[in-house]
Amino acid sequence: MKSDLLFFWIAVGLYGLSACCHILGLMARQQKLFSVGLYAALLGFVPHTVAIGTRWLETGISPFFTISESLTFGVFMSVLIFLIFQSTSRRIWPLGVLVMPVAFVLMGWAGALHKSAATQIVPALQSAWIWVHIIGASTGFGAVLAAAGFGLLYLLKEKNSGGIYERLPDLPAIDTLSYRFVAGGFIMYGLMIVSGAFWANQVKGNYWNWDPVEVWSLISWLIYGIYLHLRITMHWRGRRLAWYALIALMAMIVSYWGIPFTVETFHTGFRIEH
Amino acid sequence: MMRLIYTFLSSAKLAIVLLVIILACCVTGVTVFRGERAWTLIFSTLWFNGILLLLVANVACCFFPRMWGRKLTIVSLGMMLFHLSFVVILGGIVYNSLFYFRGLIRLTEGEVLPSGDPQSYDTIERGRYFDFRRLKGETTLKKMHRDYRVEREDKRAAYEIAVGEGSSRKQGIIYITKSLEHQGFSYFNDREGYSLLVMLYDRAGRVLYGAHIPLQSLRQKDESYLYTTGTKEGPGSLPFPQTPLKPRFALQVAYKPSKLKERGGEAFFTVWPLQKGISSKGEKPLADGKVTVGEKFSAGDYYLAVAEVRYWVGMKVFYEPGKPIVLTSLWAGLAGMVIAFIGRVRRGKRHDKPSAISRSGTDN
Ligand code: HEM
């Protein structure tokens, strides 16, 4: 097995452990299990980073282009944001209940789609904009994943009391946290779209073509734009927005990785391709 | 009546309704219909663009009057910047639509075409107020470079071009991530293909005629390419010699590049009686066969030969004066979002004793 793959699967295993600990912790209401879950996530993050790094070093090509690579990097940012948040004074132990299972499943999916690294970057991708684009997309995803995590905690705390639920911040505070992460994710998706527009303009001379990948990213952005308006202009709060954040996350996973990449790109037409 | 329209447009609910409708259209445009069909049925239609327009009118009538007279804070400043950028983007698009020019120009290596002549372009779209006198001088393709490299990066194809006239003439190399800018016009590489110099000789070997004929590249079922005369839809023939000379027969030429020798390979000729061409299935051609590039092929009373293989390229020539407005507004909008976000977090911090957050519960 190539070394990057070995590290990759170690990371998947540790994320799986972390996911289990979080879920069991919630069911058994055991604080200890959450700590184990957090450390497993931290421990998994190391081989995850190494896997990305070695792949990059081996080929000299930034590993962001195939679906598998894109998923791997999206999960990387999500876990990073999760770990950073958990290392602040505000640590909210059960946050990983949503974040880590999603990270685990997406990583597993990335592993299933794994392909050996390309030896050449396609010319259209040889642009500095792609960096801004990918950072925007992956942090945006990490942020809305966390937002959905807070949404879930909101719904759980509303139904349950005592034990670990006592230690959670009160409902309006969870609600605000979820909103903040949505707003941050919305900005990062905005960055993704703006840099994508500049990139398209550099390569094709058009900043917007309504092509499927563009429309999919607009969809994710609009979904959270609507969230913000429901909150600010319609004064929605609490349960409804918590559900919204959870459902929007699914839409996000589909629009980010599911469908855009299965859309065949045409337009090659006349070009000599050898 | 005006009041009614204004009341309608200034409703904040309308914004959400419109956003949801646009979202629904987008989802339809990538699932039920896709690609070209989505473009013709949704994204290019009057009604869809009308909805986008309505959204901007809604921003103008709803957002700004609400903000009017409100205390200027970091949050409101950021939000104003964000919503303003929306309106300015539309302004840029409308302005652009009046003055833009988009042409596709196709040249064979060595060819020079007058830039201001609509005949030089395969396709042209332009705004009502675009003035062709803006396109000065000539467009020249000096050479097409294959496997062009910039440092370690393979750009595949690069075009060496010159545009403009006299002292303002500009030369440059363009490739997929680099365009050439000249007096408001941008030149983008688009696609390239082979162009054959096809010669016609009489039986005594005297040259009667010669012309550069651009070939289509058609992807075959086995993923290889067929380079031939015809259209994007498939192989075809053309009258030869071409107008204004009197054609003598219909000709299909195809080309198989050599893997070893750049610009070498085999040429395939098929000759039909005029008017019949490739379309009349079952008809036997007058002559049919292949020769290496440079050799003569015998076709009845004539000889044919491919004397030279060159490349042709297609370039996009764009003039879009509204684009800088749009692109700048995108950053302004993003900055507005960031400013509003920072403002809100700071506002939250000010009463950030945990109990204060929880009790405030309102718009934080
Ligand atoms: C189309 C008509 C629109 C109207 C009428 C509108 C109106 C408003 C209003 C009234 C506010 C709240 C201001 C306040 O505090 O009272 C607001 C906030 C906001 N709107 Fe819009 N808006 C429109 C379009 C959009 C669009 C298309 C987006 C992007 C999806 C958008 C994104 C935002 C954002 C991000 C905020 C502030 C959220 C925050 O700072 O947390 N708006 N808008």
Side-chain angles (χ1 to χ4, degrees):
Chain A
M1 200 190 282
K2 296 249 303 268
S3 60
D4 68 319
L5 263 181
L6 181 66
F7 286 114
F8 181 93
W9 287 111
I10 294 175
V12 175
L14 286 163
Y15 288 167
L17 176 66
S18 170
C20 290
C21 290
H22 277 101
I23 292 169
L24 289 175
L26 188 74
M27 294 196 317
R29 302 195 173 199
Q30 278 291 330
Q31 177 65 36
K32 270 224 183 67
L33 282 166
F34 288 125
S35 321
V36 179
L38 184 59
Y39 286 115
L42 185 63
L43 220 58
F45 191 66
V46 178
H48 189 167
T49 313
V50 174
I52 294 175
T54 40
R55 189 176 170 95
W56 197 337
L57 281 177
E58 256 166 39
T59 57
I61 291 173
S62 41
F64 306 134
F65 300 125
T66 65
I67 310 184
S68 166
E69 289 169 340
S70 163
L71 277 163
T72 307
F73 196 67
V75 174
F76 176 84
M77 276 298 182
S78 306
V79 176
L80 182 64
I81 289 173
F82 167 72
L83 290 173
I84 289 175
F85 182 86
Q86 295 294 51
S87 64
T88 63
S89 56
R90 288 228 202 154
R91 178 178 307 164
I92 293 177
W93 287 104
L95 178 60
V97 166
L98 185 74
V99 175
M100 288 322 293
V102 172
F104 169 62
V105 171
L106 292 183
M107 273 293 266
W109 183 18
L113 298 172
H114 181 273
K115 283 202 191 107
S116 51
T119 49
Q120 275 289 335
I121 311 183
V122 190
L125 300 178
Q126 295 163 2
S127 163
W129 285 116
I130 193 151
W131 282 95
V132 187
H133 199 62
I134 284 162
I135 302 272
S138 55
T139 44
F141 178 74
V144 299
L145 175 57
F150 288 119
L152 181 65
L153 294 188
Y154 185 98
L155 296 171
L156 287 171
K157 179 162 170 129
E158 212 181 20
K159 283 251 159 66
N160 302 283
S161 55
I164 51 166
Y165 296 106
E166 271 323 293
R167 299 223 218 144
L168 284 177
D170 50 13
L171 287 173
I174 301 178
D175 182 50
T176 302
L177 275 171
S178 180
Y179 156 60
R180 291 250 172 97
F181 274 91
V182 165
F186 181 68
I187 292 173
M188 295 323 282
Y189 276 125
L191 185 64
M192 165 184 88
I193 291 176
V194 171
S195 58
F198 272 76
W199 179 18
N201 186 48
Q202 180 191 19
V203 170
K204 293 187 266 185
N206 293 317
Y207 51 86
W208 190 262
N209 281 307
W210 293 105
D211 85 18
V213 177
E214 288 168 352
V215 177
W216 274 115
S217 59
L218 181 64
I219 289 172
S220 3
W221 193 70
L222 281 171
I223 287 175
Y224 288 104
I226 292 170
Y227 175 104
L228 293 175
H229 276 95
L230 288 173
R231 186 173 182 101
I232 294 170
T233 52
M234 296 312 213
H235 305 288
W236 279 29
R237 289 291 182 280
R239 187 189 307 157
R240 282 190 289 187
L241 283 184
W243 275 111
Y244 192 114
L246 274 168
I247 293 166
L249 180 73
M250 316 240 223
M252 212 55 28
I253 291 172
V254 171
S255 74
Y256 191 173
W257 292 297
I259 295 170
F261 295 94
T262 66
V263 177
E264 62 298 334
T265 42
F266 41 103
H267 288 134
T268 26
F270 266 58
R271 189 173 287 279
I272 300 175
E273 292 173 30
H274 295 275
Chain B
M1 186 64 194
M2 289 305 278
R3 265 240 69 79
L4 221 66
I5 295 176
Y6 184 80
T7 319
F8 174 71
L9 282 179
S10 60
S11 133
K13 281 210 185 79
L14 180 64
I16 293 187
V17 171
L18 290 175
L19 288 173
V20 171
I21 293 175
I22 295 168
L23 179 67
C25 292
C26 287
V27 172
T28 314
V30 283
T31 50
V32 183
F33 311 117
R34 291 169 164 224
E36 306 259 24
R37 260 170 74 72
W39 169 250
T40 43
L41 291 177
I42 301 174
F43 300 125
S44 68
T45 59
L46 205 62
W47 60 264
F48 182 72
N49 286 280
I51 293 173
L52 295 182
L53 215 75
L54 203 58
L55 182 68
V56 176
N58 184 209
V59 176
C61 298
C62 169
F63 183 77
F64 294 105
R66 280 179 190 228
M67 299 304 281
W68 195 253
R70 206 184 276 186
K71 207 173 87 210
L72 198 66
T73 59
I74 298 180
V75 177
S76 64
L77 186 80
M79 275 192 313
M80 277 201 280
L81 191 58
F82 174 76
H83 288 86
L84 187 65
S85 78
F86 234 71
V87 180
V88 174
I89 286 173
L90 180 82
I93 292 172
V94 171
Y95 175 70
N96 197 62
S97 68
L98 298 175
F99 293 98
Y100 80 101
F101 171 86
R102 283 188 206 135
L104 187 71
I105 194 166
R106 189 147 41 126
L107 308 113
T108 297
E109 285 170 312
E111 194 174 7
V112 179
L113 289 174
S115 308
D117 180 358
Q119 297 288 338
S120 300
Y121 299 86
D122 282 8
T123 59
I124 284 181
E125 289 170 57
R126 66 194 181 94
R128 178 184 293 250
Y129 300 111
F130 176 75
D131 182 354
F132 269 97
R133 278 171 301 184
R134 283 191 166 276
L135 275 162
K136 296 199 184 74
E138 294 161 339
T139 309
T140 310
L141 174 65
K142 304 194 140 174
K143 195 166 161 48
M144 208 289 283
H145 299 269
R146 252 187 61 193
D147 302 325
Y148 188 78
R149 292 189 155 268
V150 178
E151 284 158 24
R152 283 183 54 232
E153 291 173 335
D154 181 4
K155 302 293 179 186
R156 289 212 182 130
Y159 315 159
E160 206 177 325
I161 60 169
V163 292
E165 65 176 355
S167 58
S168 79
R169 201 171 140 88
K170 190 167 174 186
Q171 292 196 25
I173 288 209
I174 64 174
Y175 43 85
I176 186 145
T177 47
K178 182 167 173 287
S179 58
L180 181 80
E181 308 292 322
H182 181 250
Q183 299 193 330
F185 288 85
S186 310
Y187 296 80
F188 290 91
N189 89 332
D190 187 43
R191 55 201 185 198
E192 57 278 334
Y194 291 106
S195 182
L196 303 181
L197 176 57
V198 179
M199 306 297 296
L200 181 70
Y201 307 89
D202 64 13
R203 271 330 274 184
R206 277 180 304 236
V207 174
L208 297 176
Y209 176 75
H212 281 285
I213 298 180
L215 304 183
Q216 301 277 345
S217 67
L218 303 174
R219 192 189 273 254
Q220 302 300 101
K221 284 207 188 72
D222 63 356
E223 299 281 294
S224 70
Y225 282 88
L226 172 67
Y227 305 102
T228 171
T229 48
T231 64
K232 262 198 291 206
E233 277 66 52
S237 60
L238 48 88
F240 195 82
Q242 292 169 296
T243 43
L245 294 189
K246 189 171 161 293
R248 296 165 201 240
F249 44 78
L251 175 69
Q252 186 200 352
V253 194
Y255 169 60
K256 186 167 175 225
S258 156
K259 289 217 167 58
L260 304 172
K261 184 161 170 262
E262 165 87 354
R263 297 176 198 242
E266 289 172 324
F268 299 77
F269 292 99
T270 315
V271 176
W272 278 277
L274 259 183
Q275 266 97 44
K276 295 265 169 65
I278 196 173
S279 55
S280 53
K281 287 246 156 56
E283 180 91 8
K284 249 181 92 75
L286 298 175
D288 183 18
K290 72 171 177 185
V291 287
T292 26
V293 167
E295 276 178 7
K296 286 203 179 81
F297 168 76
S298 169
D301 297 338
Y302 306 98
Y303 285 112
L304 286 162
V306 169
E308 190 188 5
V309 176
R310 292 192 185 185
Y311 291 100
W312 61 262
V313 311
M315 275 194 294
K316 288 185 275 200
V317 183
F318 288 176
Y319 173 73
E320 297 189 278
K323 201 190 262 178
I325 303 174
V326 175
L327 293 179
T328 313
S329 312
L330 288 176
W331 288 118
L334 204 59
M337 285 193 243
V338 174
I339 292 170
F341 184 69
I342 292 172
R344 280 179 198 281
V345 172
R346 283 184 44 163
R347 195 189 284 174
K349 280 248 168 65
R350 233 175 290 144
H351 31 152
D352 198 11
K353 294 162 207 85
S355 62
I357 295 190
S358 55
R359 223 112 306 157
S360 72
T362 54
D363 179 3
N364 188 323

